[in-house]
Amino acid sequence: MSSLLKNIIRFILFILLQVFILNEVPPLHQFIVPYVYFLFILWLPFTINRVLLMVIAFAFGLSLDFFTGTLGLHAAPCVLIAFIRPALLGLILPQETIEQSYSEPGIKSMGWAPYLLYIGLLTFVHHVYLVFIEWMQFGDILYFLGKVTGTTAISLLLILLAELLFHRKSKYRTNAA
Amino acid sequence: MKNIFLFIRRYFTFLSFLLLQIAAIILLSSSSPSHEAFFAAATSEMVGKIDERYSKLRNYFNLAETNRQLVEENNRLKNMLAANFQAPDSSRINFTDTIHRDTLGRFRKFTWLPARVIGNTVTLQTNFLTLERGSLQGVKKGMAVISPQGIVGVVVETSDNISKVMSLLHRNSRVSAMLKKDNNAGTIEWDGSDPAYLTLRNISKSAKIAKGDSVVTSTYSANFPSSLMVGTVADIIADPSSNFYTLKVKTATNFFSIQYVYLVENSRYNEQVALENNASRNP
């Protein structure tokens, strides 16, 4: 399957998953909201133009916003992590080897520790920004800190579960491909 | 001029990042309070269609609960029928004055419309419901939305066939409510923590309140008819620094399983709101 087609299917699936399953889950606590939709952006291929990456992230966040009725609330953090992503990848990866041999970020292509760092940092940044925007409209500092911690923890848990349950075939890029 | 182009080319990535961020923030700030502008009718219709498909599937799981709610409501309404109230024997002629139709429209203030819920969230800080009934079917902005068990919210947006309702579970939702016992009025809000509990503010400390008291919509509201169930008092918090109680109210409506609602139109809504908002005439 081509990378484009795969990512289009992922786009739709992640939106549907977030809107119709995760947003419907009865809340355990006000701080714990299961977000995993932004994993779509983290899984996009290495070799993608930075500006294109941000435009995709914006469109992705906005299409989620259409469902939740809060225009721009999810689009802004998505654009932010899309902006940080290439720089972070450049920092934690040995440049030549991996980006050229694997197509997208994953446990296999990056190794456990760098991948966890990558996922963890971007998840944290995403939630800090998302909750910060919410917090600007209402709320107090305790709400901000609690919700960032709660949502980050539950997101990381869900992402790790997804990684363990769904084995992504990380394509090894050869010259022929 | 050349330098500007060089600058733009050099920082193109960062500039486009800023541009997208600003676009997102503008969208958010211009749509936030009850998100009216920018929400183009086209996207509303499209998202509404997807929601509708999904709700058709989900409907089956809630059928039992929906039936129970409707039976309960029917029972309550049947008990209020004029035929149930007949004095035993005091007079020979039994006369009940019930105006069913008001063809001239002089007396009727509220009109009720049924609607199916095709989208609903409870887990966010800003929760909305989507109804399968729009402006072509008589829905207007500001109409009250009521479930068989209690009040639900207010219509904030309509497209041709779909309308969007700001749920009581929205951080910006404000509804005037009163205690059923002694008509002390306050404001119903939501603190964003638990979808089963609302907050009733500005109830005077002179009011005698007990846990379990009913809270109903007040007579002051422009959207809601008075004396509709909101919830029951679950907790009483006396703030020592003010003269008001803050009450925790258990919602009468079960927001997790709303399937059908009623829309209530106040035919004098525009008149009342226009007059109330006309602050400049105050001396």
Side-chain angles (χ1 to χ4, degrees):
Chain A
M1 207 189 318
S2 81
S3 172
L4 178 68
L5 182 63
K6 193 166 74 183
N7 276 305
I8 289 175
I9 294 174
R10 257 187 212 159
F11 187 112
I12 297 167
L13 282 183
F14 268 113
I15 293 282
L16 293 183
L17 171 76
Q18 185 66 42
V19 173
F20 290 130
I21 297 175
L22 293 179
N23 279 358
E24 299 279 333
V25 174
L28 297 168
H29 189 268
Q30 101 183 85
F31 292 155
I32 299 176
V33 182
Y35 282 122
V36 288
Y37 71 100
F38 57 91
L39 197 55
F40 168 76
I41 297 164
L42 306 190
W43 278 359
L44 285 172
F46 285 120
T47 53
I48 197 165
N49 182 353
R50 294 188 67 171
V51 177
L52 181 65
L53 182 67
M54 283 191 284
V55 173
I56 293 175
F58 185 75
F60 182 69
L62 207 59
S63 43
L64 182 66
D65 286 329
F66 281 136
F67 283 96
T68 57
T70 48
L71 280 196
L73 180 65
H74 297 94
C78 280
V79 171
L80 181 69
I81 58 171
F83 179 67
I84 298 176
R85 197 189 98 127
L88 185 67
L89 279 175
L91 272 180
I92 58 179
L93 290 184
Q95 205 71 19
E96 295 82 19
T97 53
I98 291 171
E99 285 200 16
Q100 282 162 17
S101 49
Y102 284 98
S103 60
E104 57 188 38
I107 293 171
K108 207 177 242 175
S109 65
M110 293 167 69
W112 269 101
Y115 183 65
L116 279 186
L117 184 68
Y118 166 70
I119 291 283
L121 266 180
L122 285 185
T123 306
F124 182 68
V125 169
H126 173 273
H127 289 326
V128 166
Y129 195 38
L130 179 70
V131 180
F132 180 71
I133 298 177
E134 265 187 3
W135 177 53
M136 293 302 273
Q137 297 175 303
F138 40 70
D140 48 315
I141 187 73
L142 198 68
Y143 172 78
F144 177 70
L145 295 175
K147 190 158 180 187
V148 168
T149 324
T151 44
T152 308
I154 196 83
S155 289
L156 284 178
L157 187 71
L158 285 172
I159 291 173
L160 285 185
L161 277 179
E163 288 286 350
L164 292 176
L165 285 176
F166 304 105
H167 184 70
R168 276 187 300 146
K169 263 186 285 179
S170 45
K171 210 183 349 174
Y172 195 82
R173 294 209 315 173
T174 55
N175 288 334
Chain B
M1 200 62 192
K2 195 183 156 200
N3 280 336
I4 295 176
F5 283 126
L6 274 179
F7 177 81
I8 290 177
R9 189 178 296 168
R10 179 143 181 226
Y11 293 105
F12 184 63
T13 320
F14 186 67
L15 285 178
S16 49
F17 166 69
L18 279 186
L19 198 74
L20 288 173
Q21 281 293 324
I22 291 169
I25 298 297
I26 287 177
L27 278 177
L28 186 67
S29 56
S30 62
S31 63
S32 175
S34 59
H35 107 110
E36 289 164 89
F38 271 96
F39 201 90
T43 57
S44 174
E45 287 278 317
M46 200 190 77
V47 170
K49 286 227 171 69
I50 303 175
D51 273 347
E52 189 185 325
R53 287 269 163 86
Y54 183 66
S55 87
K56 269 184 188 149
L57 179 90
R58 207 175 34 182
N59 248 350
Y60 291 104
F61 301 108
N62 288 327
L63 277 180
E65 171 68 13
T66 308
N67 272 336
R68 193 190 63 75
Q69 289 176 5
L70 290 177
V71 165
E72 227 168 55
E73 186 187 31
N74 272 335
N75 181 39
R76 205 167 61 236
L77 294 178
K78 283 238 165 76
N79 273 321
M80 287 152 88
L81 283 180
N84 288 334
F85 301 96
Q86 290 185 2
D89 238 351
S90 60
S91 64
R92 289 296 169 90
I93 307 164
N94 188 7
F95 180 74
T96 38
D97 181 16
T98 50
I99 299 175
H100 289 297
R101 300 201 195 293
D102 172 20
T103 45
L104 292 177
R106 275 192 302 170
F107 302 106
R108 180 180 275 278
K109 185 174 174 189
F110 295 108
T111 318
W112 296 58
L113 301 168
R116 196 157 78 90
V117 179
I118 57 172
N120 180 20
T121 59
V122 292
T123 58
L124 309 173
Q125 296 291 309
T126 52
N127 293 304
F128 292 96
L129 290 93
T130 317
L131 306 184
E132 196 184 17
R133 186 179 256 271
S135 52
L136 290 182
Q137 291 88 36
V139 180
K140 286 174 194 147
K141 217 182 268 186
M143 280 169 89
V145 179
I146 292 155
S147 82
Q149 298 165 306
I151 68 169
V152 172
V154 174
V155 175
V156 289
E157 179 129 16
T158 60
S159 69
D160 282 353
N161 299 305
I162 309 282
S163 54
K164 201 132 195 168
V165 176
M166 180 159 83
S167 158
L168 283 185
L169 307 179
H170 188 294
R171 294 292 285 249
N172 295 323
S173 147
R174 301 276 182 281
V175 174
S176 174
M178 65 187 185
L179 294 167
K180 192 179 182 186
K181 197 158 64 176
D182 54 4
N183 294 6
N184 257 303
T187 316
I188 281 280
E189 298 170 13
W190 187 51
D191 60 357
S193 56
D194 190 341
Y197 293 96
L198 301 164
T199 313
L200 178 57
R201 289 186 195 287
N202 296 349
I203 291 290
S204 153
K205 276 190 178 163
S206 62
K208 304 247 180 309
I209 308 167
K211 282 183 191 174
D213 283 359
S214 295
V215 177
V216 295
T217 53
S218 79
T219 45
Y220 309 147
S221 174
N223 321 84
F224 288 94
S226 62
S227 305
L228 291 170
M229 195 63 184
V230 176
T232 49
V233 174
D235 200 5
I236 303 164
I237 303 147
D239 180 3
S241 65
S242 79
N243 286 324
F244 299 111
Y245 283 123
T246 300
L247 305 179
K248 219 174 157 194
V249 176
K250 174 99 178 65
T251 58
T253 310
N254 181 359
F255 281 91
F256 293 92
S257 64
I258 304 177
Q259 290 297 316
Y260 289 89
V261 291
Y262 306 103
L263 289 149
V264 186
E265 182 188 4
N266 178 355
S267 54
R268 296 162 212 161
Y269 174 73
N270 287 334
E271 193 182 333
Q272 183 176 351
V273 168
L275 194 62
E276 281 174 354
N277 290 344
N278 191 357
S280 58
R281 297 285 168 81
N282 284 344

